[in-house]
Amino acid sequence: MGNPIITKRLCKSNRTIKGVQKEDRKQYKRIRGGRAKAKIYKIVKLNEGSSFVNLDIKQEEKLQQEKLRSNMKSKGLNVESIVATIKDNNLEGLSGGGYQVAGKIRTLIESKESKRILLVNGVECDPGLIHDSWLLKNRLEEIKEGIEVLNAYIGFADIVVATKGLHKSEGKIRFVQVPNRYPMGEEHILIEFITGKKLGKEEIPAKHGILALNIQTVYTLGQIIKNGYNNTGRYLTVANLFTTQATVVRAPYGMKIRTLLEKIYGKQASLEAYCGGGIMNAHPVIEGECVDVHMNFVGYQEPIRFSNQNPCKNCGACARKCPAQIPVNAVVKAMERGNIKEAQAKLMNTCIKCGSCTYHCHANKNVTEIIESLNQLT
């Protein structure tokens, strides 16, 4: 499991980060509503000198594309062939969850819901990620191709692309602007904001007629179906959090993370190398670790140090920002007293592991880690 590698205290102590957060706060229109409560703004900005780097170039890609095109022509296009092609390409969700996209579509079809909804998640609420917003700006036509493929062969009563910036309609596609709050992009929180449906933590949206896919997943799906694209890698954010510089990189699966990081930002002996689903869910790079479908972030950061032995200040910042409405400070205080049963009762098994509590903790405790240790006792 990963942990936040940024805290509110650290952001306040870095003048450059404070400036980037101020810019991000001003960038978007103020939208009200939703369960996401934390104001955790972006701490990175696009490196104008090197905004995009493509490292996923393979000599055999053209041959693979031609083979896939030939296969598609012989099969013909229908729902079953699309699902089969997605499955053959082993396409997994690119938000970091790693779910099988073919299985998700299959669940939607089997739900028998008459009014299906396609929800494309382009919110990218993690404060250290920028590649989804880059894709929206630079690959929007290809993203719409993916949406068109899904709609043509599955059929949706409503198609929504959720972002923090766009608010318009293009044909059947509605671009809906959501609050610039964290974690607005969490699937169930976003579904509730867009549709009004409040699903339980363990409920599967596709069973309720809602197909929720990350923006990069839709882009990749469209390229696979329409252009015979070879699913060899992914887009991710590579950053130096100390300088706030970030680059969007197309990296091949299996590439060593340290090699990737050094290609973009060189060796940084004084900084720690991290990777993960985002900076709110990252871990120190393990020797030999490689890029995979779960990875959205690779970057340098000052070594993060928490002090879980510090007593909770009972300020309530963690509880106020918790999107699951957990009385987090009461849980932590109960654990400090050694009352595990009381802590478990207050936790209510609703934690979504967003890391907001750790980010806001005035006692510099890794509250996410503490809560997870309690979950493991359940």
Side-chain angles (χ1 to χ4, degrees), residues 29-100:
K29 180 182 176 182
R30 189 174 182 182
I31 307 292
R32 296 184 181 276
R35 280 194 286 140
K37 301 176 182 179
K39 298 177 182 179
I40 308 178
Y41 301 112
K42 295 292 184 188
I43 69 164
V44 295
K45 58 183 178 181
L46 196 63
N47 185 346
E48 297 299 336
S50 181
S51 60
F52 174 63
V53 176
N54 185 8
L55 300 176
D56 184 26
I57 303 171
K58 294 191 174 184
Q59 289 183 340
E60 72 270 21
E61 187 167 7
K62 277 193 175 181
L63 293 173
Q64 291 289 340
Q65 288 179 349
E66 288 301 323
K67 181 180 177 182
L68 285 166
R69 286 194 185 99
S70 176
N71 287 344
M72 285 310 302
K73 287 175 183 175
S74 63
K75 285 181 180 179
L77 282 175
N78 55 50
V79 173
E80 293 303 321
S81 65
I82 285 174
V83 172
T85 302
I86 293 168
K87 187 175 181 180
D88 289 345
N89 276 268
N90 196 32
L91 179 60
E92 297 184 33
L94 294 168
S95 62
Y99 57 83
Q100 288 290 333

Side-chain angles (χ1 to χ4, degrees), residues 40-218:
I40 308 178
Y41 301 112
K42 295 292 184 188
I43 69 164
V44 295
K45 58 183 178 181
L46 196 63
N47 185 346
E48 297 299 336
S50 181
S51 60
F52 174 63
V53 176
N54 185 8
L55 300 176
D56 184 26
I57 303 171
K58 294 191 174 184
Q59 289 183 340
E60 72 270 21
E61 187 167 7
K62 277 193 175 181
L63 293 173
Q64 291 289 340
Q65 288 179 349
E66 288 301 323
K67 181 180 177 182
L68 285 166
R69 286 194 185 99
S70 176
N71 287 344
M72 285 310 302
K73 287 175 183 175
S74 63
K75 285 181 180 179
L77 282 175
N78 55 50
V79 173
E80 293 303 321
S81 65
I82 285 174
V83 172
T85 302
I86 293 168
K87 187 175 181 180
D88 289 345
N89 276 268
N90 196 32
L91 179 60
E92 297 184 33
L94 294 168
S95 62
Y99 57 83
Q100 288 290 333
V101 176
K104 206 169 192 179
I105 294 174
R106 174 65 62 197
T107 300
L108 177 80
I109 294 168
E110 292 174 352
S111 72
K112 305 300 181 182
E113 288 283 342
S114 58
K115 293 184 177 180
R116 296 168 180 160
I117 299 171
L118 174 60
L119 176 54
V120 182
N121 188 345
V123 177
E124 195 174 52
C125 59
D126 186 279
L129 300 181
I130 59 168
H131 57 273
D132 278 357
S133 56
W134 185 91
L135 283 167
L136 273 168
K137 184 177 180 180
N138 295 279
R139 301 288 187 269
L140 182 57
E141 292 307 310
E142 291 88 342
I143 290 165
K144 288 192 287 187
E145 282 184 359
I147 292 171
E148 289 166 4
V149 166
L150 286 166
N151 187 46
Y153 296 99
I154 297 175
F156 294 95
D158 193 16
I159 300 172
V160 176
V161 179
T163 80
K164 290 189 291 187
L166 296 175
H167 190 80
K168 60 180 182 177
S169 294
E170 290 190 14
K172 196 174 180 180
I173 304 172
R174 293 191 298 127
F175 291 84
V176 177
Q177 193 172 6
V178 303
N180 186 14
R181 294 286 185 271
Y182 181 83
M184 194 65 221
E186 193 276 331
E187 188 171 86
H188 286 64
I189 291 175
L190 184 60
I191 287 171
E192 183 180 347
F193 181 82
I194 297 295
T195 70
K197 292 183 179 180
K198 188 171 183 178
L199 303 180
K201 179 183 172 183
E202 304 300 329
E203 286 189 272
I204 300 172
K207 289 185 176 181
H208 296 267
I210 303 169
L211 181 62
L213 297 173
N214 166 265
I215 203 100
Q216 186 176 174
T217 307
V218 173

Side-chain angles (χ1 to χ4, degrees), residues 310-326:
N310 290 348
C312 171
K313 294 186 177 182
N314 210 26
C315 64
C318 52
R320 288 192 298 273
K321 303 302 181 183
C322 178
Q325 299 179 318
I326 298 169

Side-chain angles (χ1 to χ4, degrees), residues 6-54:
I6 196 77
T7 64
K8 188 173 183 179
R9 177 184 293 185
L10 197 153
C11 290
K12 282 186 173 182
S13 67
N14 186 314
R15 185 176 295 180
T16 308
I17 288 178
K18 284 174 67 176
V20 173
Q21 288 193 314
K22 186 176 181 180
E23 288 177 21
D24 185 65
R25 184 173 69 249
K26 290 181 177 179
Q27 184 177 352
Y28 301 109
K29 180 182 176 182
R30 189 174 182 182
I31 307 292
R32 296 184 181 276
R35 280 194 286 140
K37 301 176 182 179
K39 298 177 182 179
I40 308 178
Y41 301 112
K42 295 292 184 188
I43 69 164
V44 295
K45 58 183 178 181
L46 196 63
N47 185 346
E48 297 299 336
S50 181
S51 60
F52 174 63
V53 176
N54 185 8

